[in-house]
Amino acid sequence: MSATHIEDLAIKPIRDLPDEHARKPWLGQAVGWLALALFTVWFLRLFLANPKLKPELIWKYLFNERILEGLWSTLLLAFYSMIGALIFGTVIGFCRISANPVLRATGWLYVWVFRSTPLVVQVLLWGNLALLMPVLGIGPFTVKTNDVMTPFLAGVIALMLHEASYVAEIVRSGVQSVPRPQREAADALALSWWETQRYIIMPQALKVMIPPLGGVFVLLLKSTSLVIVISGGDLLTEAQNIASLNLYTIELLLVATVWFLIITSIAYAGQHYLEWRFNRQNHAHAGGVNEHG
Amino acid sequence: MSTVELSGVRLSYGALEVLKGIETSIPSGQIVGLIGASGSGKSTLLRLVNGLLLPSSGHVLVDGELVGRKAKNGKLHPMTLAEIRRQRRKIGMVFQHFELFPHMTVEENLCLAPILHKEMDKSEARQRAMRLLSRVALSDKSRSYPGQLSGGQQQRVAIARALMLQPSIMLFDEPTSALDPELVGEVLTVMRELANDGMTMIVVTHELSFVREVADRVIFMDKGVIAEDGAPKDVLDNPKTERAKAFLARA
């Protein structure tokens, strides 16, 4: 073989390769989108074109005063019980990983009890507390249980205690996700337990904890509807109360559905924002070399 | 000035005895190379000096004072946090994997402990941080995050952080083991300078050439006891025990 022949072989095929990229096959995708659209329309028609359903009532009751009051209670229920669950759950979570065996057992028992029983049962138990303890208090300071334990308060307590068990597990796994030698480094610098948690462990754990905490909050927003079993005055309770008078059950359930879609979507958006904020804040080292592999 | 004394030190994790009776003392200003196979107890020994670990029996003393414990009414009691702090501030420690705090800048890493301990106010701490960073040739990195630095740079920052509280003893736990070979030199240079300044140093390491050059003394550990102890040229060139001979032949 001559040298020129080899050169020809080496260069020619490269010259002959096309530069243009083939178009993505679009027909299959278009058919897929069309099928999805048709299915959605068919499904909506199933509801809206049904002569038994009055869609205009959904719109009418969406901004009904009692529905809005129920919505506000739902938001307050979720807000108060989330704050309580964050505080209480953090304490329980630290108990779970404490060096003290008594605290560890307490934390474990708590999480076991509250995660192993249905939330609706817990709501009923708190709502019916008066049956067990008609009066609350010590010595001369007593009140009738039914005077303080309103359905709303019972709902907050039940949701808070239940969600705290989930928050506790998130806190525990978040704290444990920080490599152990970080604690040793803090010890070597003679930081106290509190300083180590505050400045070293928590800032790193929070990044791991935010996505599941957002999940807990969305779940909590929806779980507020369970207080209907003790007439908690939430969105669903109000919708049902109206329906029990005018008998437009499905319409009012759809009113509640629309509101739940809206508030959970807002919560999801908030969660994404927090994650984005946190990633940007940690951006400087997030993409860098991780010494722990 | 600092001396470290260990007498009758034993340490067990459950049934596993990691240290089986350590007797030694290290005078102030001495540079000690601590060598031995992994699992021989050298990192454990290092952690006894600053009280990250406390012995199951026996005593560890720094400057004639018990580490992490105090004798009261004929019994040993754990120290309070304030006492532990006072004791630990004179002992700096450097880890194999640097253990910088990844969510803080280099400067924040350096200033955290002195400010929390109220040793210095913010501007004093910052000034000292800048002095130490220039000493490890990283003045331009004070605002960087650890993840933006090479391993060698991170370890030099870690050394500067340990020096913030002006310790009189420095403990090094395999400071170059996690580094790429070309980055080992820059860390050893910083350590060599520290040694020349008269710092008491205990260095767990596999860098035998560094030990030979810089250390005043080599301790070879084997299965929880000190198997050899002497000048570098004696221990490294004429080991007496079979275990040390085998270890050095492999290294």
mmCIF file of all heavy atoms in Angstrom, chain A residues 47 52-68 70 228 234-260:
data_model
loop_
_atom_site.group_PDB
_atom_site.id
_atom_site.type_symbol
_atom_site.label_atom_id
_atom_site.label_comp_id
_atom_site.label_asym_id
_atom_site.label_seq_id
_atom_site.Cartn_x
_atom_site.Cartn_y
_atom_site.Cartn_z
ATOM 1 N N PHE A 47 -68.208 14.415 33.737
ATOM 2 C CA PHE A 47 -68.752 15.181 34.851
ATOM 3 C C PHE A 47 -69.669 16.286 34.371
ATOM 4 O O PHE A 47 -70.833 16.356 34.725
ATOM 5 C CB PHE A 47 -67.611 15.824 35.653
ATOM 6 C CG PHE A 47 -67.031 14.901 36.675
ATOM 7 C CD1 PHE A 47 -65.885 14.195 36.396
ATOM 8 C CD2 PHE A 47 -67.651 14.729 37.901
ATOM 9 C CE1 PHE A 47 -65.358 13.336 37.343
ATOM 10 C CE2 PHE A 47 -67.117 13.871 38.851
ATOM 11 C CZ PHE A 47 -65.966 13.173 38.565
ATOM 12 N N LYS A 52 -77.122 15.318 35.697
ATOM 13 C CA LYS A 52 -77.364 15.342 37.149
ATOM 14 C C LYS A 52 -76.462 16.339 37.862
ATOM 15 O O LYS A 52 -76.676 16.614 39.035
ATOM 16 C CB LYS A 52 -77.150 13.942 37.729
ATOM 17 C CG LYS A 52 -78.258 12.973 37.352
ATOM 18 C CD LYS A 52 -78.026 11.648 38.038
ATOM 19 C CE LYS A 52 -79.099 10.645 37.626
ATOM 20 N NZ LYS A 52 -78.578 9.284 37.665
ATOM 21 N N LEU A 53 -75.411 16.796 37.145
ATOM 22 C CA LEU A 53 -74.472 17.724 37.789
ATOM 23 C C LEU A 53 -74.762 19.157 37.358
ATOM 24 O O LEU A 53 -75.029 19.412 36.192
ATOM 25 C CB LEU A 53 -73.031 17.344 37.415
ATOM 26 C CG LEU A 53 -71.956 18.135 38.152
ATOM 27 C CD1 LEU A 53 -71.503 17.396 39.397
ATOM 28 C CD2 LEU A 53 -70.781 18.403 37.243
ATOM 29 N N LYS A 54 -74.701 20.087 38.302
ATOM 30 C CA LYS A 54 -74.894 21.487 37.965
ATOM 31 C C LYS A 54 -73.570 22.225 38.128
ATOM 32 O O LYS A 54 -73.264 22.732 39.221
ATOM 33 C CB LYS A 54 -75.955 22.109 38.884
ATOM 34 C CG LYS A 54 -77.344 21.489 38.692
ATOM 35 C CD LYS A 54 -78.422 22.400 39.194
ATOM 36 C CE LYS A 54 -79.782 22.076 38.627
ATOM 37 N NZ LYS A 54 -80.155 20.637 38.738
ATOM 38 N N PRO A 55 -72.783 22.312 37.033
ATOM 39 C CA PRO A 55 -71.436 22.897 37.134
ATOM 40 C C PRO A 55 -71.471 24.341 37.610
ATOM 41 O O PRO A 55 -70.547 24.788 38.298
ATOM 42 C CB PRO A 55 -70.882 22.814 35.714
ATOM 43 C CG PRO A 55 -71.837 22.024 34.917
ATOM 44 C CD PRO A 55 -73.104 21.865 35.675
ATOM 45 N N GLU A 56 -72.529 25.087 37.271
ATOM 46 C CA GLU A 56 -72.566 26.493 37.682
ATOM 47 C C GLU A 56 -72.598 26.625 39.207
ATOM 48 O O GLU A 56 -72.146 27.627 39.766
ATOM 49 C CB GLU A 56 -73.777 27.211 37.045
ATOM 50 C CG GLU A 56 -75.156 26.767 37.507
ATOM 51 C CD GLU A 56 -75.661 25.495 36.785
ATOM 52 O OE1 GLU A 56 -74.865 24.886 36.050
ATOM 53 O OE2 GLU A 56 -76.833 25.129 36.978
ATOM 54 N N LEU A 57 -73.070 25.577 39.905
ATOM 55 C CA LEU A 57 -73.105 25.625 41.367
ATOM 56 C C LEU A 57 -71.697 25.575 41.957
ATOM 57 O O LEU A 57 -71.432 26.149 43.012
ATOM 58 C CB LEU A 57 -73.940 24.469 41.922
ATOM 59 C CG LEU A 57 -75.455 24.630 41.791
ATOM 60 C CD1 LEU A 57 -76.164 23.448 42.448
ATOM 61 C CD2 LEU A 57 -75.917 25.932 42.428
ATOM 62 N N ILE A 58 -70.783 24.869 41.248
ATOM 63 C CA ILE A 58 -69.400 24.802 41.723
ATOM 64 C C ILE A 58 -68.841 26.218 41.786
ATOM 65 O O ILE A 58 -68.290 26.646 42.783
ATOM 66 C CB ILE A 58 -68.529 23.932 40.782
ATOM 67 C CG1 ILE A 58 -69.084 22.512 40.724
ATOM 68 C CG2 ILE A 58 -67.080 23.924 41.248
ATOM 69 C CD1 ILE A 58 -68.371 21.606 39.756
ATOM 70 N N TRP A 59 -69.023 26.938 40.677
ATOM 71 C CA TRP A 59 -68.530 28.313 40.602
ATOM 72 C C TRP A 59 -69.191 29.176 41.661
ATOM 73 O O TRP A 59 -68.555 29.969 42.343
ATOM 74 C CB TRP A 59 -68.791 28.858 39.191
ATOM 75 C CG TRP A 59 -68.313 30.259 39.031
ATOM 76 C CD1 TRP A 59 -69.088 31.370 38.888
ATOM 77 C CD2 TRP A 59 -66.963 30.697 39.017
ATOM 78 N NE1 TRP A 59 -68.302 32.481 38.794
ATOM 79 C CE2 TRP A 59 -66.977 32.092 38.872
ATOM 80 C CE3 TRP A 59 -65.732 30.039 39.120
ATOM 81 C CZ2 TRP A 59 -65.828 32.860 38.817
ATOM 82 C CZ3 TRP A 59 -64.579 30.796 39.072
ATOM 83 C CH2 TRP A 59 -64.634 32.189 38.923
ATOM 84 N N LYS A 60 -70.518 28.974 41.833
ATOM 85 C CA LYS A 60 -71.268 29.792 42.776
ATOM 86 C C LYS A 60 -70.785 29.585 44.211
ATOM 87 O O LYS A 60 -70.608 30.541 44.964
ATOM 88 C CB LYS A 60 -72.762 29.439 42.672
ATOM 89 C CG LYS A 60 -73.649 30.327 43.523
ATOM 90 C CD LYS A 60 -75.089 29.827 43.524
ATOM 91 C CE LYS A 60 -75.791 30.331 44.794
ATOM 92 N NZ LYS A 60 -77.034 29.579 45.049
ATOM 93 N N TYR A 61 -70.550 28.314 44.575
ATOM 94 C CA TYR A 61 -70.180 28.031 45.964
ATOM 95 C C TYR A 61 -68.687 28.183 46.250
ATOM 96 O O TYR A 61 -68.275 28.164 47.397
ATOM 97 C CB TYR A 61 -70.641 26.620 46.360
ATOM 98 C CG TYR A 61 -72.096 26.597 46.760
ATOM 99 C CD1 TYR A 61 -73.059 26.081 45.918
ATOM 100 C CD2 TYR A 61 -72.494 27.124 47.994
ATOM 101 C CE1 TYR A 61 -74.396 26.075 46.272
ATOM 102 C CE2 TYR A 61 -73.816 27.121 48.364
ATOM 103 C CZ TYR A 61 -74.774 26.597 47.499
ATOM 104 O OH TYR A 61 -76.085 26.609 47.869
ATOM 105 N N LEU A 62 -67.891 28.324 45.154
ATOM 106 C CA LEU A 62 -66.437 28.433 45.347
ATOM 107 C C LEU A 62 -66.096 29.596 46.278
ATOM 108 O O LEU A 62 -65.179 29.503 47.081
ATOM 109 C CB LEU A 62 -65.766 28.618 43.976
ATOM 110 C CG LEU A 62 -64.308 28.154 43.840
ATOM 111 C CD1 LEU A 62 -64.122 26.723 44.292
ATOM 112 C CD2 LEU A 62 -63.868 28.297 42.384
ATOM 113 N N PHE A 63 -66.851 30.716 46.152
ATOM 114 C CA PHE A 63 -66.562 31.888 46.979
ATOM 115 C C PHE A 63 -67.670 32.154 47.997
ATOM 116 O O PHE A 63 -67.839 33.253 48.481
ATOM 117 C CB PHE A 63 -66.328 33.113 46.090
ATOM 118 C CG PHE A 63 -65.162 32.905 45.158
ATOM 119 C CD1 PHE A 63 -65.375 32.575 43.815
ATOM 120 C CD2 PHE A 63 -63.853 32.994 45.638
ATOM 121 C CE1 PHE A 63 -64.302 32.362 42.974
ATOM 122 C CE2 PHE A 63 -62.795 32.775 44.790
ATOM 123 C CZ PHE A 63 -63.009 32.452 43.457
ATOM 124 N N ASN A 64 -68.422 31.090 48.291
ATOM 125 C CA ASN A 64 -69.444 31.180 49.334
ATOM 126 C C ASN A 64 -68.780 31.517 50.672
ATOM 127 O O ASN A 64 -67.689 31.037 50.981
ATOM 128 C CB ASN A 64 -70.164 29.823 49.424
ATOM 129 C CG ASN A 64 -71.148 29.769 50.561
ATOM 130 O OD1 ASN A 64 -70.747 29.690 51.723
ATOM 131 N ND2 ASN A 64 -72.421 29.808 50.228
ATOM 132 N N GLU A 65 -69.461 32.330 51.468
ATOM 133 C CA GLU A 65 -68.855 32.804 52.717
ATOM 134 C C GLU A 65 -68.454 31.657 53.637
ATOM 135 O O GLU A 65 -67.363 31.641 54.208
ATOM 136 C CB GLU A 65 -69.853 33.723 53.425
ATOM 137 C CG GLU A 65 -69.207 34.594 54.488
ATOM 138 C CD GLU A 65 -70.235 35.446 55.194
ATOM 139 O OE1 GLU A 65 -71.221 35.868 54.514
ATOM 140 O OE2 GLU A 65 -70.088 35.671 56.404
ATOM 141 N N ARG A 66 -69.338 30.679 53.783
ATOM 142 C CA ARG A 66 -69.031 29.561 54.691
ATOM 143 C C ARG A 66 -67.889 28.702 54.154
ATOM 144 O O ARG A 66 -67.077 28.184 54.917
ATOM 145 C CB ARG A 66 -70.295 28.727 54.915
ATOM 146 C CG ARG A 66 -71.278 29.446 55.831
ATOM 147 C CD ARG A 66 -72.553 28.674 55.978
ATOM 148 N NE ARG A 66 -72.335 27.401 56.653
ATOM 149 C CZ ARG A 66 -73.284 26.458 56.763
ATOM 150 N NH1 ARG A 66 -74.465 26.648 56.207
ATOM 151 N NH2 ARG A 66 -73.028 25.347 57.405
ATOM 152 N N ILE A 67 -67.832 28.549 52.825
ATOM 153 C CA ILE A 67 -66.716 27.798 52.221
ATOM 154 C C ILE A 67 -65.412 28.520 52.498
ATOM 155 O O ILE A 67 -64.404 27.905 52.883
ATOM 156 C CB ILE A 67 -66.939 27.629 50.696
ATOM 157 C CG1 ILE A 67 -68.080 26.663 50.420
ATOM 158 C CG2 ILE A 67 -65.659 27.177 50.006
ATOM 159 C CD1 ILE A 67 -67.791 25.215 50.767
ATOM 160 N N LEU A 68 -65.415 29.847 52.352
ATOM 161 C CA LEU A 68 -64.189 30.614 52.584
ATOM 162 C C LEU A 68 -63.767 30.542 54.056
ATOM 163 O O LEU A 68 -62.585 30.450 54.367
ATOM 164 C CB LEU A 68 -64.367 32.067 52.142
ATOM 165 C CG LEU A 68 -64.490 32.270 50.622
ATOM 166 C CD1 LEU A 68 -64.644 33.741 50.297
ATOM 167 C CD2 LEU A 68 -63.300 31.673 49.892
ATOM 168 N N GLY A 70 -64.407 28.003 55.996
ATOM 169 C CA GLY A 70 -63.866 26.641 56.118
ATOM 170 C C GLY A 70 -62.443 26.579 55.581
ATOM 171 O O GLY A 70 -61.565 25.965 56.189
ATOM 172 N N ILE A 228 -63.227 16.360 59.765
ATOM 173 C CA ILE A 228 -64.669 16.292 59.495
ATOM 174 C C ILE A 228 -65.348 15.314 60.454
ATOM 175 O O ILE A 228 -66.502 15.498 60.821
ATOM 176 C CB ILE A 228 -64.935 15.904 58.018
ATOM 177 C CG1 ILE A 228 -66.430 16.094 57.706
ATOM 178 C CG2 ILE A 228 -64.525 14.468 57.755
ATOM 179 C CD1 ILE A 228 -66.763 15.931 56.245
ATOM 180 N N ASP A 234 -63.607 22.704 59.168
ATOM 181 C CA ASP A 234 -62.662 22.939 58.072
ATOM 182 C C ASP A 234 -63.421 23.030 56.754
ATOM 183 O O ASP A 234 -64.656 22.988 56.723
ATOM 184 C CB ASP A 234 -61.637 21.805 58.017
ATOM 185 C CG ASP A 234 -62.292 20.514 57.581
ATOM 186 O OD1 ASP A 234 -63.356 20.189 58.146
ATOM 187 O OD2 ASP A 234 -61.768 19.845 56.670
ATOM 188 N N LEU A 235 -62.673 23.159 55.670
ATOM 189 C CA LEU A 235 -63.248 23.288 54.331
ATOM 190 C C LEU A 235 -64.233 22.161 54.016
ATOM 191 O O LEU A 235 -65.358 22.402 53.590
ATOM 192 C CB LEU A 235 -62.090 23.312 53.313
ATOM 193 C CG LEU A 235 -62.434 23.343 51.839
ATOM 194 C CD1 LEU A 235 -63.297 24.551 51.508
ATOM 195 C CD2 LEU A 235 -61.150 23.362 51.010
ATOM 196 N N LEU A 236 -63.805 20.930 54.263
ATOM 197 C CA LEU A 236 -64.653 19.789 53.913
ATOM 198 C C LEU A 236 -65.903 19.744 54.802
ATOM 199 O O LEU A 236 -67.004 19.458 54.318
ATOM 200 C CB LEU A 236 -63.858 18.480 54.040
ATOM 201 C CG LEU A 236 -64.552 17.249 53.465
ATOM 202 C CD1 LEU A 236 -64.792 17.391 51.967
ATOM 203 C CD2 LEU A 236 -63.749 15.989 53.748
ATOM 204 N N THR A 237 -65.733 20.045 56.082
ATOM 205 C CA THR A 237 -66.886 20.060 56.991
ATOM 206 C C THR A 237 -67.936 21.060 56.495
ATOM 207 O O THR A 237 -69.124 20.742 56.418
ATOM 208 C CB THR A 237 -66.456 20.460 58.424
ATOM 209 O OG1 THR A 237 -65.365 19.638 58.826
ATOM 210 C CG2 THR A 237 -67.598 20.293 59.407
ATOM 211 N N GLU A 238 -67.464 22.261 56.146
ATOM 212 C CA GLU A 238 -68.385 23.289 55.670
ATOM 213 C C GLU A 238 -69.069 22.859 54.379
ATOM 214 O O GLU A 238 -70.275 23.044 54.211
ATOM 215 C CB GLU A 238 -67.657 24.624 55.467
ATOM 216 C CG GLU A 238 -67.168 25.273 56.754
ATOM 217 C CD GLU A 238 -68.306 25.591 57.728
ATOM 218 O OE1 GLU A 238 -69.471 25.655 57.299
ATOM 219 O OE2 GLU A 238 -68.008 25.757 58.924
ATOM 220 N N ALA A 239 -68.295 22.273 53.466
ATOM 221 C CA ALA A 239 -68.877 21.818 52.202
ATOM 222 C C ALA A 239 -69.960 20.778 52.465
ATOM 223 O O ALA A 239 -71.049 20.831 51.889
ATOM 224 C CB ALA A 239 -67.776 21.242 51.300
ATOM 225 N N GLN A 240 -69.676 19.861 53.364
ATOM 226 C CA GLN A 240 -70.646 18.816 53.690
ATOM 227 C C GLN A 240 -71.876 19.397 54.389
ATOM 228 O O GLN A 240 -72.996 18.953 54.148
ATOM 229 C CB GLN A 240 -69.993 17.753 54.599
ATOM 230 C CG GLN A 240 -68.991 16.870 53.892
ATOM 231 C CD GLN A 240 -69.663 15.824 53.013
ATOM 232 O OE1 GLN A 240 -70.233 16.157 51.973
ATOM 233 N NE2 GLN A 240 -69.605 14.575 53.427
ATOM 234 N N ASN A 241 -71.634 20.373 55.265
ATOM 235 C CA ASN A 241 -72.764 21.006 55.957
ATOM 236 C C ASN A 241 -73.719 21.653 54.970
ATOM 237 O O ASN A 241 -74.938 21.517 55.086
ATOM 238 C CB ASN A 241 -72.261 22.076 56.946
ATOM 239 C CG ASN A 241 -71.679 21.435 58.198
ATOM 240 O OD1 ASN A 241 -71.884 20.242 58.439
ATOM 241 N ND2 ASN A 241 -70.942 22.224 58.972
ATOM 242 N N ILE A 242 -73.152 22.365 53.985
ATOM 243 C CA ILE A 242 -74.005 23.000 52.977
ATOM 244 C C ILE A 242 -74.749 21.934 52.179
ATOM 245 O O ILE A 242 -75.950 22.024 51.947
ATOM 246 C CB ILE A 242 -73.165 23.889 52.043
ATOM 247 C CG1 ILE A 242 -72.512 25.028 52.851
ATOM 248 C CG2 ILE A 242 -74.026 24.467 50.917
ATOM 249 C CD1 ILE A 242 -71.518 25.847 52.058
ATOM 250 N N ALA A 243 -73.996 20.873 51.804
ATOM 251 C CA ALA A 243 -74.595 19.818 50.980
ATOM 252 C C ALA A 243 -75.722 19.109 51.720
ATOM 253 O O ALA A 243 -76.694 18.650 51.109
ATOM 254 C CB ALA A 243 -73.518 18.819 50.561
ATOM 255 N N SER A 244 -75.599 19.001 53.061
ATOM 256 C CA SER A 244 -76.639 18.298 53.809
ATOM 257 C C SER A 244 -77.944 19.077 53.781
ATOM 258 O O SER A 244 -79.008 18.522 54.005
ATOM 259 C CB SER A 244 -76.178 18.057 55.245
ATOM 260 O OG SER A 244 -76.110 19.290 55.933
ATOM 261 N N LEU A 245 -77.864 20.375 53.481
ATOM 262 C CA LEU A 245 -79.079 21.177 53.373
ATOM 263 C C LEU A 245 -79.609 21.209 51.955
ATOM 264 O O LEU A 245 -80.796 21.027 51.721
ATOM 265 C CB LEU A 245 -78.818 22.614 53.857
ATOM 266 C CG LEU A 245 -78.450 22.742 55.348
ATOM 267 C CD1 LEU A 245 -78.141 24.194 55.692
ATOM 268 C CD2 LEU A 245 -79.594 22.208 56.226
ATOM 269 N N ASN A 246 -78.726 21.448 50.959
ATOM 270 C CA ASN A 246 -79.216 21.611 49.592
ATOM 271 C C ASN A 246 -79.087 20.346 48.745
ATOM 272 O O ASN A 246 -79.520 20.317 47.596
ATOM 273 C CB ASN A 246 -78.549 22.805 48.900
ATOM 274 C CG ASN A 246 -77.058 22.574 48.667
ATOM 275 O OD1 ASN A 246 -76.564 21.459 48.821
ATOM 276 N ND2 ASN A 246 -76.369 23.624 48.282
ATOM 277 N N LEU A 247 -78.415 19.291 49.308
ATOM 278 C CA LEU A 247 -78.301 17.980 48.664
ATOM 279 C C LEU A 247 -77.451 17.973 47.384
ATOM 280 O O LEU A 247 -77.470 17.009 46.653
ATOM 281 C CB LEU A 247 -79.673 17.360 48.396
ATOM 282 C CG LEU A 247 -80.549 17.174 49.647
ATOM 283 C CD1 LEU A 247 -81.881 16.538 49.273
ATOM 284 C CD2 LEU A 247 -79.831 16.349 50.711
ATOM 285 N N TYR A 248 -76.736 19.081 47.096
ATOM 286 C CA TYR A 248 -75.817 19.072 45.953
ATOM 287 C C TYR A 248 -74.455 18.529 46.402
ATOM 288 O O TYR A 248 -73.442 19.235 46.432
ATOM 289 C CB TYR A 248 -75.665 20.470 45.357
ATOM 290 C CG TYR A 248 -76.912 20.926 44.633
ATOM 291 C CD1 TYR A 248 -77.651 22.010 45.088
ATOM 292 C CD2 TYR A 248 -77.328 20.245 43.483
ATOM 293 C CE1 TYR A 248 -78.798 22.421 44.423
ATOM 294 C CE2 TYR A 248 -78.484 20.657 42.824
ATOM 295 C CZ TYR A 248 -79.216 21.732 43.285
ATOM 296 O OH TYR A 248 -80.335 22.117 42.641
ATOM 297 N N THR A 249 -74.432 17.258 46.781
ATOM 298 C CA THR A 249 -73.247 16.657 47.408
ATOM 299 C C THR A 249 -72.014 16.725 46.515
ATOM 300 O O THR A 249 -70.957 17.196 46.930
ATOM 301 C CB THR A 249 -73.544 15.195 47.773
ATOM 302 O OG1 THR A 249 -74.759 15.179 48.514
ATOM 303 C CG2 THR A 249 -72.427 14.595 48.597
ATOM 304 N N ILE A 250 -72.176 16.236 45.264
ATOM 305 C CA ILE A 250 -71.015 16.162 44.368
ATOM 306 C C ILE A 250 -70.478 17.560 44.063
ATOM 307 O O ILE A 250 -69.276 17.793 44.101
ATOM 308 C CB ILE A 250 -71.384 15.437 43.056
ATOM 309 C CG1 ILE A 250 -71.745 13.970 43.337
ATOM 310 C CG2 ILE A 250 -70.246 15.530 42.043
ATOM 311 C CD1 ILE A 250 -70.581 13.108 43.750
ATOM 312 N N GLU A 251 -71.386 18.497 43.789
ATOM 313 C CA GLU A 251 -70.953 19.856 43.477
ATOM 314 C C GLU A 251 -70.098 20.425 44.598
ATOM 315 O O GLU A 251 -69.042 21.022 44.364
ATOM 316 C CB GLU A 251 -72.158 20.789 43.236
ATOM 317 C CG GLU A 251 -72.891 20.579 41.931
ATOM 318 C CD GLU A 251 -73.863 19.403 41.964
ATOM 319 O OE1 GLU A 251 -73.871 18.667 42.969
ATOM 320 O OE2 GLU A 251 -74.612 19.218 40.985
ATOM 321 N N LEU A 252 -70.543 20.219 45.845
ATOM 322 C CA LEU A 252 -69.793 20.798 46.961
ATOM 323 C C LEU A 252 -68.486 20.053 47.217
ATOM 324 O O LEU A 252 -67.492 20.653 47.615
ATOM 325 C CB LEU A 252 -70.674 20.875 48.196
ATOM 326 C CG LEU A 252 -71.572 22.120 48.046
ATOM 327 C CD1 LEU A 252 -72.911 21.961 48.690
ATOM 328 C CD2 LEU A 252 -70.826 23.348 48.536
ATOM 329 N N LEU A 253 -68.493 18.730 46.965
ATOM 330 C CA LEU A 253 -67.220 18.001 47.072
ATOM 331 C C LEU A 253 -66.236 18.527 46.033
ATOM 332 O O LEU A 253 -65.036 18.635 46.292
ATOM 333 C CB LEU A 253 -67.449 16.495 46.879
ATOM 334 C CG LEU A 253 -68.048 15.765 48.084
ATOM 335 C CD1 LEU A 253 -68.323 14.305 47.745
ATOM 336 C CD2 LEU A 253 -67.123 15.861 49.294
ATOM 337 N N LEU A 254 -66.758 18.875 44.834
ATOM 338 C CA LEU A 254 -65.872 19.411 43.797
ATOM 339 C C LEU A 254 -65.377 20.800 44.165
ATOM 340 O O LEU A 254 -64.244 21.166 43.833
ATOM 341 C CB LEU A 254 -66.589 19.429 42.437
ATOM 342 C CG LEU A 254 -66.774 18.032 41.816
ATOM 343 C CD1 LEU A 254 -67.588 18.110 40.533
ATOM 344 C CD2 LEU A 254 -65.433 17.370 41.549
ATOM 345 N N VAL A 255 -66.195 21.570 44.870
ATOM 346 C CA VAL A 255 -65.734 22.871 45.367
ATOM 347 C C VAL A 255 -64.516 22.660 46.278
ATOM 348 O O VAL A 255 -63.480 23.310 46.136
ATOM 349 C CB VAL A 255 -66.863 23.601 46.132
ATOM 350 C CG1 VAL A 255 -66.300 24.771 46.933
ATOM 351 C CG2 VAL A 255 -67.925 24.092 45.160
ATOM 352 N N ALA A 256 -64.653 21.696 47.205
ATOM 353 C CA ALA A 256 -63.534 21.399 48.106
ATOM 354 C C ALA A 256 -62.322 20.925 47.300
ATOM 355 O O ALA A 256 -61.185 21.323 47.573
ATOM 356 C CB ALA A 256 -63.944 20.344 49.123
ATOM 357 N N THR A 257 -62.584 20.088 46.295
ATOM 358 C CA THR A 257 -61.489 19.567 45.457
ATOM 359 C C THR A 257 -60.709 20.698 44.799
ATOM 360 O O THR A 257 -59.482 20.711 44.816
ATOM 361 C CB THR A 257 -62.051 18.632 44.367
ATOM 362 O OG1 THR A 257 -62.809 17.609 45.010
ATOM 363 C CG2 THR A 257 -60.942 18.009 43.543
ATOM 364 N N VAL A 258 -61.464 21.652 44.222
ATOM 365 C CA VAL A 258 -60.803 22.770 43.543
ATOM 366 C C VAL A 258 -59.927 23.545 44.521
ATOM 367 O O VAL A 258 -58.765 23.849 44.239
ATOM 368 C CB VAL A 258 -61.860 23.703 42.892
ATOM 369 C CG1 VAL A 258 -61.204 25.002 42.424
ATOM 370 C CG2 VAL A 258 -62.538 22.998 41.725
ATOM 371 N N TRP A 259 -60.456 23.827 45.702
ATOM 372 C CA TRP A 259 -59.662 24.581 46.690
ATOM 373 C C TRP A 259 -58.432 23.811 47.133
ATOM 374 O O TRP A 259 -57.350 24.369 47.293
ATOM 375 C CB TRP A 259 -60.512 24.976 47.898
ATOM 376 C CG TRP A 259 -61.266 26.253 47.677
ATOM 377 C CD1 TRP A 259 -62.613 26.426 47.698
ATOM 378 C CD2 TRP A 259 -60.699 27.538 47.381
ATOM 379 N NE1 TRP A 259 -62.941 27.723 47.437
ATOM 380 C CE2 TRP A 259 -61.785 28.439 47.233
ATOM 381 C CE3 TRP A 259 -59.410 28.022 47.209
ATOM 382 C CZ2 TRP A 259 -61.616 29.781 46.943
ATOM 383 C CZ3 TRP A 259 -59.225 29.362 46.918
ATOM 384 C CH2 TRP A 259 -60.320 30.218 46.790
ATOM 385 N N PHE A 260 -58.595 22.487 47.328
ATOM 386 C CA PHE A 260 -57.426 21.686 47.723
ATOM 387 C C PHE A 260 -56.361 21.701 46.632
ATOM 388 O O PHE A 260 -55.160 21.799 46.910
ATOM 389 C CB PHE A 260 -57.835 20.252 48.064
ATOM 390 C CG PHE A 260 -58.250 20.094 49.502
ATOM 391 C CD1 PHE A 260 -59.552 19.712 49.826
ATOM 392 C CD2 PHE A 260 -57.355 20.353 50.533
ATOM 393 C CE1 PHE A 260 -59.927 19.583 51.155
ATOM 394 C CE2 PHE A 260 -57.725 20.226 51.858
ATOM 395 C CZ PHE A 260 -59.023 19.841 52.174
#
